[in-house]
Amino acid sequence: MLKECPISCGICSATECTDRKFQCESWARSNACNDNPEFMTKYCPKSCEVCRSTCVDMHTDCPGWTANGECFKNPTYLYKHCPKSCGVCPEPSEEKIKTAPCSDFNTTQCHIWADSGQCAENPLAVMKQCPESCGVCKPTCTDHHEGCRAWAFAKKCYDEPAFMLRVCPASCGICTALESKDEL
């Protein structure tokens, strides 16, 4: 499964999780994400929150590196590339969200520390408090609820696209479409 289904298993995510049209932000503000979900989730994944800043490992070797103590030996690299395995971000909440949100605990202080180079100089202390400011957070395209696979199997992607394409983009095939180099 990990080799054949890396997106569904959370190993990788869309490499270009960005809006493809400059109008996306204004379209999203005018409710286009709900009114035209098929188009908007493919062309405006960032504005429609298909891609969210999350705490995900960027390498399949992260669990092994963590087991060998690399998070403490080389925190500058490991915290950025293996934040989930190294415990940089909090565990997902009780809301059954699949991936942990990635955000600073104190935005003002984190900006000060990041601007003064503390992310690199003191990563063990600063990166866990300031994952967003220190560049740990990655916009990724993944399902945002544990029920997504079952709902997709029940054909909810077609029956309820305004909800499903935004909350369950991986299970509904949106993430795979975003990774495609071809024009959608």
Side-chain angles (χ1 to χ4, degrees):
M1 284 294 291
L2 296 177
K3 185 177 178 184
E4 298 300 320
C5 306
I7 295 172
S8 296
C9 291
I11 298 301
C12 65
S13 59
T15 54
E16 297 246 356
C17 213
T18 59
D19 290 341
R20 296 179 181 207
K21 304 286 184 188
F22 74 90
Q23 306 97 324
C24 287
E25 286 184 28
S26 63
W27 288 341
R29 280 192 301 273
S30 27
N31 205 33
C33 298
N34 289 325
D35 296 340
N36 191 2
E38 291 86 359
F39 175 87
M40 290 296 289
T41 54
K42 290 178 183 174
Y43 289 98
C44 304
K46 186 177 177 192
S47 293
C48 288
E49 295 182 348
V50 168
C51 303
R52 297 179 186 176
S53 288
T54 54
C55 195
V56 295
D57 291 341
M58 303 309 287
H59 295 282
T60 56
D61 294 330
C62 288
W65 291 338
T66 301
N68 289 334
E70 291 297 322
C71 294
F72 298 104
K73 294 175 190 171
N74 188 7
T76 303
Y77 180 83
L78 267 289
Y79 276 22
K80 281 195 175 190
H81 294 93
C82 303
K84 185 174 181 184
S85 291
C86 289
V88 174
C89 301
E91 287 298 314
S93 68
E94 294 296 319
E95 298 169 355
K96 304 198 188 259
I97 295 174
K98 188 176 179 181
T99 53
C102 196
S103 60
D104 294 339
F105 286 96
N106 180 333
T107 305
T108 304
Q109 185 61 52
C110 288
H111 287 196
I112 293 168
W113 285 339
D115 288 344
S116 66
Q118 290 301 304
C119 296
E121 290 178 30
N122 194 4
L124 287 171
V126 177
M127 283 191 181
K128 284 190 176 189
Q129 294 295 312
C130 308
E132 189 169 11
S133 295
C134 290
V136 172
C137 303
K138 306 283 188 270
T140 56
C141 185
T142 60
D143 288 339
H144 306 296
H145 193 280
E146 72 174 11
C148 288
R149 287 186 198 166
W151 297 335
F153 183 76
K155 306 211 183 308
K156 299 282 186 192
C157 296
Y158 307 103
D159 298 340
E160 301 173 32
F163 171 79
M164 288 295 294
L165 298 182
R166 291 171 67 188
V167 175
C168 303
S171 293
C172 291
I174 297 299
C175 298
T176 304
L178 292 175
E179 282 197 344
S180 172
K181 299 292 183 204
D182 300 329
E183 186 63 27
L184 297 171

